[in-house]
Amino acid sequence: MLYHLLYPLHTIFSSFNVFRYITFRTIYAAITALVLCFVLGPWMIRKLQELQLGQTIREDGPDSHHAKKGTPTMGGLLIIFAVTLSTLLWANLTVGYIWLVIMVMVGFGLIGFLDDYRKISRRNSRGVPGKVRLSAEVAIALFVSVTLYIKPGFNPYVTIPFFKTALPNLGWGYVLLSTFIIVGTANAVNLTDGLDGLAIGPAITCFMTYLLFAYFAGNIKIASYLQIPYVAGTGELSIFCGAVVGAGIGFLWFNAYPAQVFMGDVGSLSLGGSLGTLAILTKQEILLVIVGGIFVLETFSVIFQVGWFRLTNGKRIFRMAPIHHHFELKGWPEPKVIVRFWIISVLLALVAISTLKLR
């Protein structure tokens, strides 16, 4: 809104010309989201406590987690509000990609909200039935995928890291792939959200990385120089990414160990869904496996654990899945697990960025 209100004034006051620059608006979207979280965070925590919207704990979880029972959850509502408002204030709203990614964030956030509310109201860790939740997630992701597929100028080919000429065109198969990426990423972030600050740290790193990818993909000169696909309009997604980074840092202020509030499924699903959408919009779908390597590791630890448990009649690979619980049960203090996962996330992001020149 500020872009549309103030930029046209640059013909009268030249200083307003600064609003044309994506870099300027990205910085202030991040600052806006950060300030909103700082200002509204304490109020939201009090409200969540008053409404008795406290976290439920898995009965089979580590003993140390039982002390977390009752900690306010659904803090992801703060992230969604801060990101949405900041993006609407600073982005060029004529770019359809902005509305798509906001729709995914809000849509997946609603699914997460219903899941959280059901857990709290029933006072157990079981939320919305898995099939119902998955169907809703697929419906949103499928809508986005089909919208992109039929959009003029959006090509259904996949960018393969390290290979500049390997661009397989999947046709309608791209709809299935992109739907899988959005839903898979949403649930991967959801699985990672098990310790104080564990999910939001790598999420900040991932969105910072895709902030760069969005800016590069939306600039025809930079895209040509780096030999990556140019996607007109994706530069504006940098503003959304900046808002998520700002909101993530603001939320981390309250979510850092020991957490005053948890993001809940409303936060993890909305962040994961929008991250998967960004990977598709910027044509860096496969690279998400590297950028979000922590989320991939957490997901595969659960898949392998469940598969091995069934194949061997009760034997386990890890002491507990997702894998962050395995390290807890090995005796690692919770803060050590969290920070080490953050470090790995940063290293993976640097590797992913380096691939832009390794082609």
Side-chain angles (χ1 to χ4, degrees):
M1 288 181 279
L2 290 178
Y3 169 78
H4 296 285
L5 287 172
L6 299 179
Y7 178 60
L9 299 177
H10 76 280
T11 56
I12 303 172
F13 305 102
S14 59
S15 57
F16 284 108
N17 193 52
V18 72
F19 283 90
R20 67 176 286 202
Y21 298 110
I22 289 175
T23 48
F24 173 82
R25 289 184 282 123
T26 297
I27 290 170
Y28 278 91
I31 293 173
T32 302
L34 178 64
V35 171
L36 283 171
C37 286
F38 277 166
V39 172
L40 297 177
W43 173 82
M44 173 167 275
I45 292 171
R46 287 196 303 271
K47 280 297 180 182
L48 292 173
Q49 289 172 332
E50 290 172 8
L51 295 171
Q52 298 184 338
L53 299 177
Q55 179 72 23
T56 55
I57 303 298
R58 287 173 56 179
E59 294 298 328
D60 59 344
D63 293 338
S64 60
H65 285 215
H66 292 287
K68 301 174 185 285
K69 187 174 182 179
T71 301
T73 188
M74 293 193 188
L77 290 169
L78 178 63
I79 298 174
I80 294 173
F81 175 77
V83 171
T84 302
L85 181 57
S86 300
T87 303
L88 293 177
L89 282 174
W90 294 101
N92 178 353
L93 301 181
T94 63
V95 176
Y97 295 143
I98 289 291
W99 293 105
L100 270 182
V101 76
I102 288 177
M103 185 205 75
V104 171
M105 171 165 270
V106 174
F108 274 77
L110 178 59
I111 296 170
F113 175 83
L114 296 174
D115 199 47
D116 285 331
Y117 184 78
R118 186 180 174 94
K119 290 176 183 177
I120 294 167
S121 61
R122 298 197 171 200
R123 301 192 181 280
N124 61 49
S125 58
R126 295 181 179 180
V128 175
K131 291 182 179 179
V132 175
R133 194 177 91 166
L134 183 61
S135 297
E137 293 171 359
V138 169
I140 295 173
L142 192 60
F143 173 80
V144 172
S145 301
V146 172
T147 299
L148 290 175
Y149 183 79
I150 64 177
K151 185 182 185 301
F154 194 88
N155 299 311
Y157 56 75
V158 179
T159 306
I160 308 296
F162 305 106
F163 299 95
K164 63 182 178 181
T165 57
L167 299 170
N169 190 325
L170 301 183
W172 274 100
Y174 190 83
V175 172
L176 299 178
L177 175 65
S178 54
T179 299
F180 172 78
I181 290 172
I182 295 171
V183 174
T185 308
N187 287 282
V189 176
N190 183 242
L191 285 172
T192 307
D193 184 31
L195 302 179
D196 300 355
L198 179 61
I200 194 64
I204 291 170
T205 304
C206 289
F207 278 97
M208 287 183 70
T209 305
Y210 273 96
L211 186 159
L212 295 176
F213 292 167
Y215 184 77
F216 295 159
N219 186 302
I220 193 167
K221 292 183 179 179
I222 297 177
S224 176
Y225 172 71
L226 294 175
Q227 300 182 49
I228 61 175
Y230 166 66
V231 187
T234 53
E236 289 294 321
L237 293 173
S238 300
I239 293 157
F240 176 85
C241 293
V244 176
V245 170
I249 294 172
F251 178 76
L252 183 58
W253 184 269
F254 306 103
N255 185 233
Y257 181 86
Q260 297 171 259
V261 64
F262 300 134
M263 71 167 68
D265 290 355
V266 64
S268 58
L269 288 178
S270 60
L271 287 172
S274 53
L275 178 61
T277 306
L278 284 167
I280 294 160
L281 293 174
T282 57
K283 305 304 297 179
Q284 298 296 337
E285 310 94 338
I286 307 302
L287 206 54
L288 181 58
V289 175
I290 300 176
V291 180
I294 287 294
F295 303 134
V296 174
L297 174 65
E298 294 274 20
T299 302
F300 275 101
S301 71
V302 174
I303 294 172
F304 291 150
Q305 181 86 321
V306 173
W308 189 251
F309 186 87
R310 291 177 177 175
L311 286 172
T312 60
N313 295 317
K315 293 184 179 179
R316 302 173 186 269
I317 301 174
F318 309 106
R319 296 189 180 184
M320 186 176 179
I323 198 171
H324 56 260
H325 291 317
H326 169 78
F327 292 112
E328 277 191 287
L329 294 175
K330 284 188 66 176
W332 290 20
E334 184 174 336
K336 179 173 287 189
V337 177
I338 296 164
V339 174
R340 286 183 173 176
F341 273 47
W342 287 359
I343 292 170
I344 295 170
S345 179
V346 172
L347 291 173
L348 290 171
L350 292 174
V351 171
I353 293 170
S354 75
T355 66
L356 295 178
K357 288 301 294 179
L358 298 175
R359 294 174 184 269

